[in-house]
Amino acid sequence: MQITEYLKIEKATNLSRTEAGRLGSAVIFIVVVMIYTGAAFAHIEQSYLLIAAAVIGAYMALNIGANDVANNVGPAVGSFALSLTGAIVIAAIFEAAGAIIAGGDVVSTVKKGIIDPADIDNPNVFVWVMMGALLGAAIWLNAATWLGAPVSTTHSIVGGVMGAGIAAAGWEIVNWDSMAKIALSWVVSPVTGGLIAAAFLFTLKKLVLFKDDPIAAAERVVPVMISIMAWAFTTYIALKGLSKVIKVSFPSAVIAGLLVAVIIWLIVAPMVRRNAQHLSPDRDGVNRLFTIPLICSAALLSFAHGANDVANAVGPLAGVVDVLTAGEGGGKVAIPLWVMVIGALGISIGLALFGPKLIRTVGSEITELDRARAFCIALAAAITVIIASQLGMPISSTHVALGAVFGVGFLREFLEQRMSRVVENVLARHQGQPDFAQAEEVLRTFQNAPPEDKKRLLSELKKMGPEAVISAAQRKELRQALKRQLVKRSSLLKIVSAWIITVPVSACLAALFYFALRGMMLP
């Protein structure tokens, strides 16, 4: 046998060992949850149901960590501000901290008012609904992660609760007004995030990156943008991350954010001036100024995500615990600390074991990110969630973050096509002779493009030779030659398709699992 075949076998063996190790670690976590729950609640009558619910909740938490957390750290990894290992460590710590510290004492077991618990008067049926919802949502998240599609865990559990609720009590149990708002958010969330991210990036390009001396411009602009980020994140954390610890009104959060922003500006402005003296006067030099802000944004987004989305894993589980331990179930229940710990640890372990695939998808497979672009994405995500929460819009942080990534990519395409049209028009007016000097002069005075992009486009034109000078009939051919797609269309199609089917697929799976549980439990 040839040595290359031995190498292929060894590579496949190592891959299988890695997969087996990840699956084994996840199984160990689930078994530990099973043993703890069984030991702690052996005295209750239906302890087997509680153990099963805890196992499903742990499985759901693992899938949230594997899929949803990538949106918080993916841009930082894709821009090389953080290594993959560093991002996983930071996200795991801050996700767990957010879940345990600010995860909340009370949470609605029926997310966002999708169903009315009063329509489910049998406690056992309520337990089956919650377990079916959790399992349906978890299975869909697992499938989406395997496909490499980042989807909304909130929408997954919403679909699960809806599907199991319909299976238990009919179509009239669903609050269809809430479902209509969620369907609207499929469009509003990514579009809003994309527009805000593109606006910030265009501002940064116009004021800094398009300048002849971008470092000198960055000394003035970058501290202001970092202060805006501090303002946005302070307001975001106060409203979303700490809302279960202390109640903060929107005006108070905004004022607190403004005070922090001023302090950050006073600290950052002299630091940027000192660092600017040692940076190269180009885009790479400007990007280095965003390294620490990106790391901070990844940590803060992870904290807020843990504080809010842990309820997707343990909210229904808390409802099951309440019913089976002689509670009444219903609309709101207290979340025990051990349930919060399951959610926090599950999210962190799921991220560490299975998160890298989605982190790479968000960070590098949709569009190329540098640190300036990643900074605009993180800032847009925080601002969009703040605006939506004050308007009462049920948006998904996943949709917002990915919409921001697409917005940045499409802005890059728009600016490049605009630059290509300038060259196209120059050449069209000089038919019969390859006037590269004229094209170069026009490009150098064209403001809406960085110098390296202008050099690249001129290099492409010179490779074309005399054919670059075109008649009107050849303009389309040149346009296609100069055009680049900076957003991967296959990723766009895959992700949007997954978003559209998340609620119905989770609902169908949850209904099937509800009927299976009901069939097993009824005499």
Side-chain angles (χ1 to χ4, degrees), residues 11-27 146 353-354 357:
K11 183 177 180 181
T13 303
N14 289 336
L15 180 62
S16 66
R17 287 172 183 166
T18 303
E19 291 293 335
R22 286 201 293 263
L23 289 173
S25 300
V27 169
W146 180 73
L353 295 177
F354 307 106
K357 181 175 183 178

Side-chain angles (χ1 to χ4, degrees), residues 121-414:
D121 53 1
N122 188 327
N124 287 330
V125 173
F126 179 81
V127 169
W128 303 337
V129 167
M130 291 297 104
M131 292 176 64
L134 267 178
L135 193 53
I139 292 290
W140 164 241
L141 281 176
N142 199 335
T145 302
W146 180 73
L147 293 170
V151 297
S152 169
T153 56
T154 302
H155 289 179
S156 298
I157 196 64
V158 162
V161 171
M162 182 188 76
I166 291 173
W171 294 91
E172 62 275 7
I173 195 175
V174 178
N175 184 337
W176 293 108
D177 289 340
S178 294
M179 289 307 303
K181 291 179 181 178
I182 290 173
L184 180 63
S185 76
W186 294 339
V187 177
V188 174
S189 299
V191 170
T192 304
L195 290 175
I196 293 177
F200 275 114
L201 181 60
F202 184 75
T203 301
L204 187 62
K205 284 179 175 289
K206 194 77 173 177
L207 298 180
V208 178
L209 297 174
F210 292 165
K211 298 295 184 181
D212 293 332
D213 188 353
I215 291 296
E219 291 184 31
R220 300 185 301 272
V221 176
V222 170
V224 175
M225 296 200 72
I226 294 175
S227 298
I228 294 174
M229 185 195 76
W231 190 353
F233 273 106
T234 301
T235 305
Y236 180 72
I237 294 295
L239 291 174
K240 304 292 289 183
L242 300 178
S243 60
K244 306 300 187 299
V245 178
I246 55 173
K247 294 297 181 182
V248 181
S249 65
F250 180 71
S252 298
V254 171
I255 292 172
L258 181 59
L259 292 176
V260 171
V262 172
I263 295 171
I264 292 297
W265 184 85
L266 293 174
I267 295 172
V268 168
M271 291 176 60
V272 169
R273 285 194 295 270
R274 286 195 302 269
N275 291 335
Q277 300 173 8
H278 309 290
L279 298 174
S280 57
D282 54 18
R283 183 196 292 267
D284 290 337
V286 175
N287 275 318
R288 291 181 180 276
L289 296 174
F290 290 108
T291 302
I292 294 178
L294 267 177
I295 295 173
C296 293
S297 69
L300 292 172
L301 282 172
S302 296
F303 182 88
H305 181 270
N308 287 276
D309 281 32
V310 69
N312 293 329
V314 300
L317 172 58
V320 173
V321 172
D322 186 62
V323 170
L324 295 180
T325 55
E328 298 180 356
K332 291 187 176 181
V333 297
I335 298 186
L337 179 60
W338 70 271
V339 174
M340 294 295 297
V341 171
I342 287 176
L345 290 180
I347 289 174
S348 300
I349 293 171
L351 169 67
L353 295 177
F354 307 106
K357 181 175 183 178
L358 269 296
I359 290 174
R360 293 189 187 97
T361 297
V362 175
S364 58
E365 293 183 7
I366 297 173
T367 190
E368 181 183 348
L369 296 178
D370 60 18
R371 295 172 196 180
R373 297 167 194 153
F375 174 86
C376 294
I377 290 167
L379 184 54
I383 291 176
T384 304
V385 172
I386 291 171
I387 294 172
S389 65
Q390 294 311 302
L391 295 177
M393 295 171 57
I395 68 168
S396 165
S397 59
T398 300
H399 291 192
V400 171
L402 287 169
V405 174
F406 285 117
V408 162
F410 283 122
L411 175 68
R412 294 177 61 214
E413 279 193 14
F414 169 76

Side-chain angles (χ1 to χ4, degrees), residues 13-68:
T13 303
N14 289 336
L15 180 62
S16 66
R17 287 172 183 166
T18 303
E19 291 293 335
R22 286 201 293 263
L23 289 173
S25 300
V27 169
I28 289 172
F29 170 69
I30 291 174
V31 170
V32 169
V33 170
M34 182 188 303
I35 293 172
Y36 171 81
T37 309
F41 296 94
H43 60 282
I44 69 173
E45 182 179 353
Q46 294 179 300
S47 59
Y48 61 91
L49 276 180
L50 184 55
I51 294 171
V55 167
I56 296 171
Y59 176 54
M60 178 66 172
L62 287 170
N63 282 290
I64 290 177
N67 192 291
D68 209 25

